[in-house]
Amino acid sequence: MTPGREGPYDGLVAAAVDRLGRNVVACLNTGYKMRDEKKMLVTYGHDGPWELDDPADENRFTMEAWGAQMELRAIQRRNREATIKIRAAGRPKGKPS
């Protein structure tokens, strides 16, 4: 196989929906791409492959994708707050005291 080129595959396996993307759009794009291409999508904690044509699975998938976005926002907020605190202490970000 040529480096940088995808070969044939049957689906995608991830530890969780939040590993498919860092926000709702990225997760849903990946999920619907797998559905539209008739590929299998499996994550830990979900019984069997995701079936995004099923309203219950689609709603659960969307809520887990939303959780990924909320997690990203929390990380960004903590990083901003840490930067403010470090600068207030007179230390450049990432430098030892």
Side-chain angles (χ1 to χ4, degrees):
M1 181 182 290
T2 306
R5 298 207 45 161
E6 295 179 353
Y9 65 101
D10 295 325
L12 183 62
V13 176
V17 172
D18 69 357
R19 300 293 93 199
L20 297 172
R22 298 306 291 155
N23 59 42
V24 174
V25 172
C27 291
L28 292 178
N29 283 343
T30 301
Y32 289 127
K33 177 179 172 56
M34 294 293 103
R35 181 200 64 189
D36 294 347
E37 294 180 3
K38 308 272 191 271
K39 305 280 186 184
M40 189 178 303
L41 179 60
V42 177
T43 61
Y44 178 78
H46 183 265
D47 293 333
W50 286 95
E51 188 59 55
L52 296 181
D53 289 325
D54 174 51
D57 256 11
E58 182 181 37
N59 286 335
R60 180 175 170 193
F61 188 87
T62 302
M63 292 306 296
E64 290 189 25
W66 182 73
Q69 183 166 312
M70 298 287 70
E71 178 184 351
L72 175 62
R73 299 297 182 258
I75 291 167
Q76 290 170 333
R77 185 181 62 253
R78 283 194 306 268
N79 287 344
R80 277 191 306 275
E81 290 169 356
T83 298
I84 291 167
K85 183 178 177 182
I86 289 168
R87 285 181 181 160
R91 294 184 307 160
K93 186 174 180 183
K95 303 288 182 185
S97 58

